[in-house]
PDB file of all heavy atoms in Angstrom:
ATOM      1  N   ARG A   1      -7.020  -7.961   8.195  1.00 92.00           N
ATOM      2  CA  ARG A   1      -6.412  -8.265   9.499  1.00 92.00           C
ATOM      3  C   ARG A   1      -5.509  -9.488   9.394  1.00 92.00           C
ATOM      4  O   ARG A   1      -4.548  -9.609  10.136  1.00 92.00           O
ATOM      5  CB  ARG A   1      -7.468  -8.476  10.558  1.00 92.00           C
ATOM      6  CG  ARG A   1      -8.505  -9.539  10.232  1.00 92.00           C
ATOM      7  CD  ARG A   1      -9.604  -9.524  11.267  1.00 92.00           C
ATOM      8  NE  ARG A   1      -9.157 -10.165  12.513  1.00 92.00           N
ATOM      9  CZ  ARG A   1      -9.833 -10.121  13.647  1.00 92.00           C
ATOM     10  NH1 ARG A   1     -10.964  -9.424  13.726  1.00 92.00           N
ATOM     11  NH2 ARG A   1      -9.416 -10.736  14.722  1.00 92.00           N
ATOM     12  N   THR A   2      -5.757 -10.386   8.476  1.00 81.00           N
ATOM     13  CA  THR A   2      -4.914 -11.562   8.314  1.00 81.00           C
ATOM     14  C   THR A   2      -3.777 -11.345   7.357  1.00 81.00           C
ATOM     15  O   THR A   2      -2.952 -12.222   7.167  1.00 81.00           O
ATOM     16  CB  THR A   2      -5.752 -12.768   7.822  1.00 81.00           C
ATOM     17  OG1 THR A   2      -6.230 -12.451   6.506  1.00 81.00           O
ATOM     18  CG2 THR A   2      -6.921 -13.046   8.745  1.00 81.00           C
ATOM     19  N   ALA A   3      -3.759 -10.172   6.708  1.00 69.00           N
ATOM     20  CA  ALA A   3      -2.756  -9.845   5.657  1.00 69.00           C
ATOM     21  C   ALA A   3      -2.910 -10.732   4.447  1.00 69.00           C
ATOM     22  O   ALA A   3      -2.088 -10.650   3.536  1.00 69.00           O
ATOM     23  CB  ALA A   3      -1.319  -9.946   6.217  1.00 69.00           C
ATOM     24  N   GLY A   4      -3.932 -11.537   4.405  1.00 75.00           N
ATOM     25  CA  GLY A   4      -4.124 -12.371   3.247  1.00 75.00           C
ATOM     26  C   GLY A   4      -4.826 -11.666   2.095  1.00 75.00           C
ATOM     27  O   GLY A   4      -4.908 -12.191   0.994  1.00 75.00           O
ATOM     28  N   ASN A   5      -5.295 -10.478   2.345  1.00 93.00           N
ATOM     29  CA  ASN A   5      -6.066  -9.773   1.345  1.00 93.00           C
ATOM     30  C   ASN A   5      -5.692  -8.303   1.331  1.00 93.00           C
ATOM     31  O   ASN A   5      -5.661  -7.649   2.357  1.00 93.00           O
ATOM     32  CB  ASN A   5      -7.570  -9.913   1.636  1.00 93.00           C
ATOM     33  CG  ASN A   5      -8.439  -9.240   0.614  1.00 93.00           C
ATOM     34  OD1 ASN A   5      -8.798  -8.070   0.746  1.00 93.00           O
ATOM     35  ND2 ASN A   5      -8.725  -9.948  -0.460  1.00 93.00           N
ATOM     36  N   THR A   6      -5.342  -7.832   0.132  1.00 95.00           N
ATOM     37  CA  THR A   6      -5.091  -6.394  -0.043  1.00 95.00           C
ATOM     38  C   THR A   6      -6.028  -5.888  -1.143  1.00 95.00           C
ATOM     39  O   THR A   6      -6.482  -6.663  -2.002  1.00 95.00           O
ATOM     40  CB  THR A   6      -3.631  -6.101  -0.437  1.00 95.00           C
ATOM     41  OG1 THR A   6      -3.283  -6.901  -1.576  1.00 95.00           O
ATOM     42  CG2 THR A   6      -2.706  -6.380   0.719  1.00 95.00           C
ATOM     43  N   TYR A   7      -6.298  -4.621  -1.083  1.00 96.00           N
ATOM     44  CA  TYR A   7      -7.228  -4.013  -2.048  1.00 96.00           C
ATOM     45  C   TYR A   7      -6.745  -2.598  -2.320  1.00 96.00           C
ATOM     46  O   TYR A   7      -6.384  -1.875  -1.392  1.00 96.00           O
ATOM     47  CB  TYR A   7      -8.642  -4.008  -1.445  1.00 96.00           C
ATOM     48  CG  TYR A   7      -9.719  -3.558  -2.394  1.00 96.00           C
ATOM     49  CD1 TYR A   7     -10.135  -4.373  -3.444  1.00 96.00           C
ATOM     50  CD2 TYR A   7     -10.314  -2.315  -2.253  1.00 96.00           C
ATOM     51  CE1 TYR A   7     -11.124  -3.950  -4.326  1.00 96.00           C
ATOM     52  CE2 TYR A   7     -11.318  -1.888  -3.117  1.00 96.00           C
ATOM     53  CZ  TYR A   7     -11.704  -2.708  -4.146  1.00 96.00           C
ATOM     54  OH  TYR A   7     -12.694  -2.294  -5.013  1.00 96.00           O
ATOM     55  N   TYR A   8      -6.724  -2.220  -3.593  1.00 97.00           N
ATOM     56  CA  TYR A   8      -6.163  -0.940  -3.987  1.00 97.00           C
ATOM     57  C   TYR A   8      -7.122  -0.143  -4.881  1.00 97.00           C
ATOM     58  O   TYR A   8      -7.933  -0.722  -5.620  1.00 97.00           O
ATOM     59  CB  TYR A   8      -4.863  -1.162  -4.773  1.00 97.00           C
ATOM     60  CG  TYR A   8      -3.783  -1.857  -3.992  1.00 97.00           C
ATOM     61  CD1 TYR A   8      -3.630  -3.234  -4.061  1.00 97.00           C
ATOM     62  CD2 TYR A   8      -2.919  -1.143  -3.165  1.00 97.00           C
ATOM     63  CE1 TYR A   8      -2.645  -3.905  -3.338  1.00 97.00           C
ATOM     64  CE2 TYR A   8      -1.929  -1.789  -2.433  1.00 97.00           C
ATOM     65  CZ  TYR A   8      -1.797  -3.161  -2.543  1.00 97.00           C
ATOM     66  OH  TYR A   8      -0.818  -3.797  -1.803  1.00 97.00           O
ATOM     67  N   ALA A   9      -6.989   1.150  -4.793  1.00 97.00           N
ATOM     68  CA  ALA A   9      -7.666   2.017  -5.749  1.00 97.00           C
ATOM     69  C   ALA A   9      -7.054   1.799  -7.123  1.00 97.00           C
ATOM     70  O   ALA A   9      -5.857   1.513  -7.246  1.00 97.00           O
ATOM     71  CB  ALA A   9      -7.504   3.468  -5.333  1.00 97.00           C
ATOM     72  N   GLU A  10      -7.871   1.939  -8.157  1.00 97.00           N
ATOM     73  CA  GLU A  10      -7.381   1.719  -9.517  1.00 97.00           C
ATOM     74  C   GLU A  10      -6.221   2.650  -9.860  1.00 97.00           C
ATOM     75  O   GLU A  10      -5.321   2.273 -10.594  1.00 97.00           O
ATOM     76  CB  GLU A  10      -8.534   1.914 -10.486  1.00 97.00           C
ATOM     77  CG  GLU A  10      -9.545   0.779 -10.544  1.00 97.00           C
ATOM     78  CD  GLU A  10      -8.945  -0.527 -10.994  1.00 97.00           C
ATOM     79  OE1 GLU A  10      -8.073  -0.486 -11.905  1.00 97.00           O
ATOM     80  OE2 GLU A  10      -9.297  -1.579 -10.456  1.00 97.00           O
ATOM     81  N   SER A  11      -6.258   3.837  -9.299  1.00 98.00           N
ATOM     82  CA  SER A  11      -5.234   4.825  -9.643  1.00 98.00           C
ATOM     83  C   SER A  11      -3.854   4.483  -9.140  1.00 98.00           C
ATOM     84  O   SER A  11      -2.857   5.036  -9.641  1.00 98.00           O
ATOM     85  CB  SER A  11      -5.649   6.208  -9.076  1.00 98.00           C
ATOM     86  OG  SER A  11      -5.767   6.119  -7.657  1.00 98.00           O
ATOM     87  N   VAL A  12      -3.742   3.554  -8.189  1.00 98.00           N
ATOM     88  CA  VAL A  12      -2.426   3.205  -7.637  1.00 98.00           C
ATOM     89  C   VAL A  12      -2.075   1.745  -7.848  1.00 98.00           C
ATOM     90  O   VAL A  12      -0.966   1.319  -7.542  1.00 98.00           O
ATOM     91  CB  VAL A  12      -2.355   3.526  -6.114  1.00 98.00           C
ATOM     92  CG1 VAL A  12      -2.744   4.977  -5.857  1.00 98.00           C
ATOM     93  CG2 VAL A  12      -3.201   2.567  -5.304  1.00 98.00           C
ATOM     94  N   LYS A  13      -2.999   0.979  -8.397  1.00 98.00           N
ATOM     95  CA  LYS A  13      -2.790  -0.449  -8.579  1.00 98.00           C
ATOM     96  C   LYS A  13      -1.561  -0.681  -9.459  1.00 98.00           C
ATOM     97  O   LYS A  13      -1.413  -0.052 -10.506  1.00 98.00           O
ATOM     98  CB  LYS A  13      -4.018  -1.089  -9.180  1.00 98.00           C
ATOM     99  CG  LYS A  13      -4.120  -2.580  -9.020  1.00 98.00           C
ATOM    100  CD  LYS A  13      -5.434  -3.107  -9.500  1.00 98.00           C
ATOM    101  CE  LYS A  13      -6.585  -2.665  -8.615  1.00 98.00           C
ATOM    102  NZ  LYS A  13      -7.867  -3.263  -9.028  1.00 98.00           N
ATOM    103  N   GLY A  14      -0.690  -1.572  -9.008  1.00 98.00           N
ATOM    104  CA  GLY A  14       0.534  -1.849  -9.769  1.00 98.00           C
ATOM    105  C   GLY A  14       1.713  -0.959  -9.399  1.00 98.00           C
ATOM    106  O   GLY A  14       2.850  -1.230  -9.765  1.00 98.00           O
ATOM    107  N   ARG A  15       1.445   0.121  -8.679  1.00 98.00           N
ATOM    108  CA  ARG A  15       2.491   1.058  -8.279  1.00 98.00           C
ATOM    109  C   ARG A  15       2.696   1.062  -6.753  1.00 98.00           C
ATOM    110  O   ARG A  15       3.826   1.236  -6.273  1.00 98.00           O
ATOM    111  CB  ARG A  15       2.177   2.487  -8.747  1.00 98.00           C
ATOM    112  CG  ARG A  15       2.036   2.646 -10.228  1.00 98.00           C
ATOM    113  CD  ARG A  15       1.899   4.112 -10.639  1.00 98.00           C
ATOM    114  NE  ARG A  15       0.698   4.756 -10.082  1.00 98.00           N
ATOM    115  CZ  ARG A  15       0.718   5.822  -9.277  1.00 98.00           C
ATOM    116  NH1 ARG A  15       1.875   6.393  -8.946  1.00 98.00           N
ATOM    117  NH2 ARG A  15      -0.420   6.342  -8.847  1.00 98.00           N
ATOM    118  N   PHE A  16       1.623   0.893  -6.004  1.00 98.00           N
ATOM    119  CA  PHE A  16       1.677   0.931  -4.552  1.00 98.00           C
ATOM    120  C   PHE A  16       1.485  -0.475  -3.988  1.00 98.00           C
ATOM    121  O   PHE A  16       0.702  -1.273  -4.551  1.00 98.00           O
ATOM    122  CB  PHE A  16       0.583   1.845  -3.989  1.00 98.00           C
ATOM    123  CG  PHE A  16       0.776   3.324  -4.268  1.00 98.00           C
ATOM    124  CD1 PHE A  16       1.719   3.787  -5.153  1.00 98.00           C
ATOM    125  CD2 PHE A  16      -0.039   4.236  -3.591  1.00 98.00           C
ATOM    126  CE1 PHE A  16       1.863   5.153  -5.388  1.00 98.00           C
ATOM    127  CE2 PHE A  16       0.098   5.596  -3.826  1.00 98.00           C
ATOM    128  CZ  PHE A  16       1.063   6.043  -4.720  1.00 98.00           C
ATOM    129  N   THR A  17       2.146  -0.739  -2.861  1.00 98.00           N
ATOM    130  CA  THR A  17       2.015  -2.023  -2.191  1.00 98.00           C
ATOM    131  C   THR A  17       1.886  -1.803  -0.703  1.00 98.00           C
ATOM    132  O   THR A  17       2.648  -1.046  -0.111  1.00 98.00           O
ATOM    133  CB  THR A  17       3.234  -2.907  -2.467  1.00 98.00           C
ATOM    134  OG1 THR A  17       3.394  -3.101  -3.883  1.00 98.00           O
ATOM    135  CG2 THR A  17       3.042  -4.289  -1.819  1.00 98.00           C
ATOM    136  N   ILE A  18       0.945  -2.498  -0.103  1.00 97.00           N
ATOM    137  CA  ILE A  18       0.723  -2.416   1.347  1.00 97.00           C
ATOM    138  C   ILE A  18       1.184  -3.724   1.967  1.00 97.00           C
ATOM    139  O   ILE A  18       0.902  -4.805   1.464  1.00 97.00           O
ATOM    140  CB  ILE A  18      -0.761  -2.173   1.694  1.00 97.00           C
ATOM    141  CG1 ILE A  18      -1.172  -0.791   1.185  1.00 97.00           C
ATOM    142  CG2 ILE A  18      -1.009  -2.284   3.183  1.00 97.00           C
ATOM    143  CD1 ILE A  18      -2.663  -0.536   1.354  1.00 97.00           C
ATOM    144  N   ALA A  19       1.864  -3.586   3.095  1.00 96.00           N
ATOM    145  CA  ALA A  19       2.300  -4.750   3.867  1.00 96.00           C
ATOM    146  C   ALA A  19       2.166  -4.428   5.350  1.00 96.00           C
ATOM    147  O   ALA A  19       2.174  -3.249   5.730  1.00 96.00           O
ATOM    148  CB  ALA A  19       3.739  -5.118   3.521  1.00 96.00           C
ATOM    149  N   ARG A  20       2.067  -5.448   6.156  1.00 96.00           N
ATOM    150  CA  ARG A  20       1.972  -5.219   7.590  1.00 96.00           C
ATOM    151  C   ARG A  20       2.955  -6.157   8.315  1.00 96.00           C
ATOM    152  O   ARG A  20       3.224  -7.258   7.860  1.00 96.00           O
ATOM    153  CB  ARG A  20       0.548  -5.442   8.113  1.00 96.00           C
ATOM    154  CG  ARG A  20       0.031  -6.852   7.980  1.00 96.00           C
ATOM    155  CD  ARG A  20      -1.464  -6.911   8.323  1.00 96.00           C
ATOM    156  NE  ARG A  20      -1.700  -6.560   9.718  1.00 96.00           N
ATOM    157  CZ  ARG A  20      -2.879  -6.234  10.202  1.00 96.00           C
ATOM    158  NH1 ARG A  20      -3.928  -6.171   9.392  1.00 96.00           N
ATOM    159  NH2 ARG A  20      -3.023  -5.938  11.503  1.00 96.00           N
ATOM    160  N   ASP A  21       3.444  -5.683   9.438  1.00 95.00           N
ATOM    161  CA  ASP A  21       4.336  -6.451  10.296  1.00 95.00           C
ATOM    162  C   ASP A  21       3.674  -6.478  11.676  1.00 95.00           C
ATOM    163  O   ASP A  21       3.785  -5.508  12.433  1.00 95.00           O
ATOM    164  CB  ASP A  21       5.728  -5.833  10.336  1.00 95.00           C
ATOM    165  CG  ASP A  21       6.715  -6.684  11.116  1.00 95.00           C
ATOM    166  OD1 ASP A  21       6.274  -7.497  11.966  1.00 95.00           O
ATOM    167  OD2 ASP A  21       7.916  -6.538  10.894  1.00 95.00           O
ATOM    168  N   ASN A  22       2.983  -7.565  11.968  1.00 93.00           N
ATOM    169  CA  ASN A  22       2.247  -7.610  13.236  1.00 93.00           C
ATOM    170  C   ASN A  22       3.176  -7.637  14.446  1.00 93.00           C
ATOM    171  O   ASN A  22       2.787  -7.198  15.532  1.00 93.00           O
ATOM    172  CB  ASN A  22       1.326  -8.837  13.243  1.00 93.00           C
ATOM    173  CG  ASN A  22       0.142  -8.655  12.322  1.00 93.00           C
ATOM    174  OD1 ASN A  22      -0.176  -7.559  11.885  1.00 93.00           O
ATOM    175  ND2 ASN A  22      -0.499  -9.767  11.995  1.00 93.00           N
ATOM    176  N   ALA A  23       4.397  -8.110  14.270  1.00 94.00           N
ATOM    177  CA  ALA A  23       5.350  -8.135  15.393  1.00 94.00           C
ATOM    178  C   ALA A  23       5.795  -6.735  15.761  1.00 94.00           C
ATOM    179  O   ALA A  23       6.168  -6.465  16.897  1.00 94.00           O
ATOM    180  CB  ALA A  23       6.563  -8.985  15.023  1.00 94.00           C
ATOM    181  N   LYS A  24       5.727  -5.815  14.788  1.00 96.00           N
ATOM    182  CA  LYS A  24       6.148  -4.428  15.030  1.00 96.00           C
ATOM    183  C   LYS A  24       4.962  -3.486  15.120  1.00 96.00           C
ATOM    184  O   LYS A  24       5.124  -2.252  15.222  1.00 96.00           O
ATOM    185  CB  LYS A  24       7.074  -3.965  13.914  1.00 96.00           C
ATOM    186  CG  LYS A  24       8.388  -4.720  13.860  1.00 96.00           C
ATOM    187  CD  LYS A  24       9.303  -4.153  12.773  1.00 96.00           C
ATOM    188  CE  LYS A  24      10.648  -4.879  12.764  1.00 96.00           C
ATOM    189  NZ  LYS A  24      11.545  -4.350  11.708  1.00 96.00           N
ATOM    190  N   ASN A  25       3.747  -4.014  15.036  1.00 97.00           N
ATOM    191  CA  ASN A  25       2.546  -3.162  15.077  1.00 97.00           C
ATOM    192  C   ASN A  25       2.621  -2.048  14.028  1.00 97.00           C
ATOM    193  O   ASN A  25       2.251  -0.893  14.298  1.00 97.00           O
ATOM    194  CB  ASN A  25       2.347  -2.544  16.463  1.00 97.00           C
ATOM    195  CG  ASN A  25       1.688  -3.499  17.422  1.00 97.00           C
ATOM    196  OD1 ASN A  25       1.689  -4.707  17.219  1.00 97.00           O
ATOM    197  ND2 ASN A  25       1.122  -2.948  18.508  1.00 97.00           N
ATOM    198  N   THR A  26       3.065  -2.417  12.826  1.00 97.00           N
ATOM    199  CA  THR A  26       3.305  -1.388  11.807  1.00 97.00           C
ATOM    200  C   THR A  26       2.737  -1.853  10.463  1.00 97.00           C
ATOM    201  O   THR A  26       2.829  -3.035  10.108  1.00 97.00           O
ATOM    202  CB  THR A  26       4.809  -1.109  11.664  1.00 97.00           C
ATOM    203  OG1 THR A  26       5.317  -0.635  12.909  1.00 97.00           O
ATOM    204  CG2 THR A  26       5.069  -0.053  10.611  1.00 97.00           C
ATOM    205  N   VAL A  27       2.195  -0.895   9.734  1.00 97.00           N
ATOM    206  CA  VAL A  27       1.762  -1.130   8.365  1.00 97.00           C
ATOM    207  C   VAL A  27       2.527  -0.183   7.459  1.00 97.00           C
ATOM    208  O   VAL A  27       2.854   0.944   7.853  1.00 97.00           O
ATOM    209  CB  VAL A  27       0.236  -0.949   8.208  1.00 97.00           C
ATOM    210  CG1 VAL A  27      -0.200   0.482   8.536  1.00 97.00           C
ATOM    211  CG2 VAL A  27      -0.227  -1.336   6.824  1.00 97.00           C
ATOM    212  N   TYR A  28       2.846  -0.657   6.269  1.00 98.00           N
ATOM    213  CA  TYR A  28       3.663   0.109   5.334  1.00 98.00           C
ATOM    214  C   TYR A  28       2.897   0.367   4.039  1.00 98.00           C
ATOM    215  O   TYR A  28       2.069  -0.444   3.624  1.00 98.00           O
ATOM    216  CB  TYR A  28       4.940  -0.665   5.017  1.00 98.00           C
ATOM    217  CG  TYR A  28       5.753  -1.012   6.230  1.00 98.00           C
ATOM    218  CD1 TYR A  28       5.638  -2.301   6.799  1.00 98.00           C
ATOM    219  CD2 TYR A  28       6.626  -0.118   6.821  1.00 98.00           C
ATOM    220  CE1 TYR A  28       6.360  -2.636   7.913  1.00 98.00           C
ATOM    221  CE2 TYR A  28       7.359  -0.452   7.942  1.00 98.00           C
ATOM    222  CZ  TYR A  28       7.224  -1.708   8.499  1.00 98.00           C
ATOM    223  OH  TYR A  28       7.969  -2.056   9.607  1.00 98.00           O
ATOM    224  N   LEU A  29       3.264   1.455   3.421  1.00 98.00           N
ATOM    225  CA  LEU A  29       2.764   1.758   2.066  1.00 98.00           C
ATOM    226  C   LEU A  29       3.967   2.083   1.204  1.00 98.00           C
ATOM    227  O   LEU A  29       4.573   3.140   1.349  1.00 98.00           O
ATOM    228  CB  LEU A  29       1.785   2.936   2.077  1.00 98.00           C
ATOM    229  CG  LEU A  29       1.241   3.344   0.714  1.00 98.00           C
ATOM    230  CD1 LEU A  29       0.375   2.228   0.110  1.00 98.00           C
ATOM    231  CD2 LEU A  29       0.426   4.642   0.791  1.00 98.00           C
ATOM    232  N   GLN A  30       4.342   1.144   0.354  1.00 98.00           N
ATOM    233  CA  GLN A  30       5.435   1.349  -0.585  1.00 98.00           C
ATOM    234  C   GLN A  30       4.884   1.978  -1.847  1.00 98.00           C
ATOM    235  O   GLN A  30       4.002   1.396  -2.491  1.00 98.00           O
ATOM    236  CB  GLN A  30       6.124   0.022  -0.918  1.00 98.00           C
ATOM    237  CG  GLN A  30       7.247   0.130  -1.930  1.00 98.00           C
ATOM    238  CD  GLN A  30       8.433   0.914  -1.407  1.00 98.00           C
ATOM    239  OE1 GLN A  30       8.871   0.724  -0.287  1.00 98.00           O
ATOM    240  NE2 GLN A  30       8.960   1.829  -2.233  1.00 98.00           N
ATOM    241  N   MET A  31       5.390   3.130  -2.194  1.00 98.00           N
ATOM    242  CA  MET A  31       4.875   3.878  -3.345  1.00 98.00           C
ATOM    243  C   MET A  31       5.983   4.027  -4.364  1.00 98.00           C
ATOM    244  O   MET A  31       7.018   4.652  -4.123  1.00 98.00           O
ATOM    245  CB  MET A  31       4.386   5.267  -2.893  1.00 98.00           C
ATOM    246  CG  MET A  31       3.361   5.213  -1.789  1.00 98.00           C
ATOM    247  SD  MET A  31       2.666   6.837  -1.382  1.00 98.00           S
ATOM    248  CE  MET A  31       4.121   7.642  -0.708  1.00 98.00           C
ATOM    249  N   ASN A  32       5.769   3.429  -5.535  1.00 98.00           N
ATOM    250  CA  ASN A  32       6.735   3.504  -6.633  1.00 98.00           C
ATOM    251  C   ASN A  32       6.125   4.247  -7.824  1.00 98.00           C
ATOM    252  O   ASN A  32       4.908   4.415  -7.892  1.00 98.00           O
ATOM    253  CB  ASN A  32       7.137   2.078  -7.054  1.00 98.00           C
ATOM    254  CG  ASN A  32       7.812   1.289  -5.954  1.00 98.00           C
ATOM    255  OD1 ASN A  32       8.497   1.862  -5.100  1.00 98.00           O
ATOM    256  ND2 ASN A  32       7.600  -0.009  -5.955  1.00 98.00           N
ATOM    257  N   SER A  33       6.992   4.648  -8.723  1.00 98.00           N
ATOM    258  CA  SER A  33       6.541   5.358  -9.936  1.00 98.00           C
ATOM    259  C   SER A  33       5.581   6.500  -9.578  1.00 98.00           C
ATOM    260  O   SER A  33       4.499   6.629 -10.197  1.00 98.00           O
ATOM    261  CB  SER A  33       5.869   4.371 -10.900  1.00 98.00           C
ATOM    262  OG  SER A  33       6.764   3.346 -11.238  1.00 98.00           O
ATOM    263  N   LEU A  34       5.989   7.300  -8.642  1.00 98.00           N
ATOM    264  CA  LEU A  34       5.099   8.359  -8.165  1.00 98.00           C
ATOM    265  C   LEU A  34       4.839   9.400  -9.243  1.00 98.00           C
ATOM    266  O   LEU A  34       5.689   9.703 -10.073  1.00 98.00           O
ATOM    267  CB  LEU A  34       5.707   9.018  -6.927  1.00 98.00           C
ATOM    268  CG  LEU A  34       5.534   8.185  -5.630  1.00 98.00           C
ATOM    269  CD1 LEU A  34       6.514   8.643  -4.576  1.00 98.00           C
ATOM    270  CD2 LEU A  34       4.106   8.290  -5.142  1.00 98.00           C
ATOM    271  N   LYS A  35       3.620   9.916  -9.185  1.00 98.00           N
ATOM    272  CA  LYS A  35       3.154  10.933 -10.124  1.00 98.00           C
ATOM    273  C   LYS A  35       2.764  12.209  -9.353  1.00 98.00           C
ATOM    274  O   LYS A  35       2.489  12.130  -8.162  1.00 98.00           O
ATOM    275  CB  LYS A  35       1.959  10.424 -10.892  1.00 98.00           C
ATOM    276  CG  LYS A  35       2.143   9.088 -11.608  1.00 98.00           C
ATOM    277  CD  LYS A  35       0.854   8.621 -12.244  1.00 98.00           C
ATOM    278  CE  LYS A  35       1.043   7.274 -12.920  1.00 98.00           C
ATOM    279  NZ  LYS A  35      -0.231   6.781 -13.533  1.00 98.00           N
ATOM    280  N   ALA A  36       2.711  13.298 -10.073  1.00 97.00           N
ATOM    281  CA  ALA A  36       2.331  14.558  -9.420  1.00 97.00           C
ATOM    282  C   ALA A  36       0.962  14.452  -8.761  1.00 97.00           C
ATOM    283  O   ALA A  36       0.726  15.016  -7.700  1.00 97.00           O
ATOM    284  CB  ALA A  36       2.349  15.688 -10.456  1.00 97.00           C
ATOM    285  N   GLU A  37       0.074  13.693  -9.385  1.00 97.00           N
ATOM    286  CA  GLU A  37      -1.277  13.546  -8.843  1.00 97.00           C
ATOM    287  C   GLU A  37      -1.350  12.673  -7.599  1.00 97.00           C
ATOM    288  O   GLU A  37      -2.395  12.550  -6.977  1.00 97.00           O
ATOM    289  CB  GLU A  37      -2.241  13.004  -9.900  1.00 97.00           C
ATOM    290  CG  GLU A  37      -1.766  11.752 -10.599  1.00 97.00           C
ATOM    291  CD  GLU A  37      -1.087  12.061 -11.916  1.00 97.00           C
ATOM    292  OE1 GLU A  37      -0.283  13.027 -12.002  1.00 97.00           O
ATOM    293  OE2 GLU A  37      -1.340  11.316 -12.902  1.00 97.00           O
ATOM    294  N   ASP A  38      -0.228  12.113  -7.179  1.00 98.00           N
ATOM    295  CA  ASP A  38      -0.170  11.364  -5.920  1.00 98.00           C
ATOM    296  C   ASP A  38       0.073  12.322  -4.733  1.00 98.00           C
ATOM    297  O   ASP A  38       0.068  11.881  -3.584  1.00 98.00           O
ATOM    298  CB  ASP A  38       0.938  10.326  -5.947  1.00 98.00           C
ATOM    299  CG  ASP A  38       0.658   9.215  -6.943  1.00 98.00           C
ATOM    300  OD1 ASP A  38      -0.499   8.770  -7.026  1.00 98.00           O
ATOM    301  OD2 ASP A  38       1.615   8.792  -7.641  1.00 98.00           O
ATOM    302  N   THR A  39       0.303  13.572  -5.031  1.00 98.00           N
ATOM    303  CA  THR A  39       0.548  14.550  -3.954  1.00 98.00           C
ATOM    304  C   THR A  39      -0.641  14.686  -3.047  1.00 98.00           C
ATOM    305  O   THR A  39      -1.795  14.730  -3.490  1.00 98.00           O
ATOM    306  CB  THR A  39       0.889  15.934  -4.587  1.00 98.00           C
ATOM    307  OG1 THR A  39       2.145  15.836  -5.273  1.00 98.00           O
ATOM    308  CG2 THR A  39       0.988  17.012  -3.514  1.00 98.00           C
ATOM    309  N   GLY A  40      -0.366  14.753  -1.753  1.00 98.00           N
ATOM    310  CA  GLY A  40      -1.407  14.946  -0.760  1.00 98.00           C
ATOM    311  C   GLY A  40      -0.959  14.568   0.635  1.00 98.00           C
ATOM    312  O   GLY A  40       0.190  14.130   0.807  1.00 98.00           O
TER     313      GLY A  40
END
């Protein structure tokens, strides 16, 4: 809730990044180096 802490599954660590913008009531998931197994 404070955005001071993020936690990732091992399978996406280093490729995915989560950020939040409290002014916009929005959370983002930036996904890079996508793999076929990321489908879903």
Side-chain angles (χ1 to χ4, degrees):
R1 55 187 284 169
T2 64
N5 182 268
T6 53
Y7 186 73
Y8 299 94
E10 285 297 322
S11 59
V12 306
K13 199 174 291 185
R15 299 188 298 121
F16 290 12
T17 302
I18 294 175
R20 65 188 296 163
D21 185 337
N22 287 344
K24 296 183 178 180
N25 278 20
T26 301
V27 62
Y28 304 97
L29 179 65
Q30 177 67 45
M31 305 185 294
N32 299 328
S33 302
L34 282 161
K35 305 175 181 179
E37 51 264 43
D38 294 319
T39 294

